[in-house]
Amino acid sequence: GELRQLAGSGSFQLLDPRIRETRLPQLQGGTVLALKVFSTFLLTVQSSAATVFKREDGHLQPSGQHRSFAKKAISAQACFIAGEPCLLALLATGQLEVLALPSLRSLATLAAGGTAGA
């Protein structure tokens, strides 16, 4: 999006000064698997970690709460369980990691082929 916001006539200049305010924080956890915006936070999931950035007055806080995965994640999806936001992360080992959002607290880890208890 940033290149579309530049005007060029010999020297380039930004058309919209808000661009500097809308950049995502630096992400350092590997391949991005998922991004999800909630009303009070932004969830980023990368192959090695999940990070939650709080949103206040429509702006992201520069540092976030971070949780590393025990093994590389290969897929991730935000969902709602019993009305509460959660993250499902499938690890390369076949384990499914279930985390509460926005706390990133572990709720469950299910083995490949495993089922939740009754």
Side-chain angles (χ1 to χ4, degrees):
E2 191 168 311
L3 291 178
R4 290 185 222 138
Q5 299 293 327
L6 294 173
S9 57
S11 65
F12 288 98
Q13 61 187 30
L14 294 175
L15 294 176
D16 187 344
R18 293 176 297 167
I19 285 177
R20 287 184 184 86
E21 299 170 14
T22 58
R23 289 187 184 187
L24 284 174
Q26 183 71 28
L27 303 175
Q28 300 180 12
T31 303
V32 175
L33 301 174
L35 291 170
K36 176 73 175 168
V37 178
F38 292 85
S39 61
T40 58
F41 64 94
L42 167 70
L43 169 67
T44 65
V45 185
Q46 296 172 272
S47 56
S48 65
T51 307
V52 170
F53 295 94
K54 290 187 180 181
R55 296 177 68 202
E56 293 180 8
D57 299 323
H59 294 81
L60 288 177
Q61 299 302 304
S63 60
Q65 183 175 347
H66 183 82
R67 181 181 178 101
S68 296
F69 297 122
K71 297 290 182 182
K72 180 180 176 181
I74 57 173
S75 182
Q77 177 70 44
C79 67
F80 286 86
I81 299 174
E84 297 296 325
C86 295
L87 169 64
L88 304 177
L90 180 61
L91 305 183
T93 60
Q95 291 179 311
L96 181 66
E97 188 92 26
V98 182
L99 304 175
L101 294 174
S103 68
L104 296 175
R105 184 176 56 90
S106 180
L107 296 176
T109 301
L110 302 173
T115 58

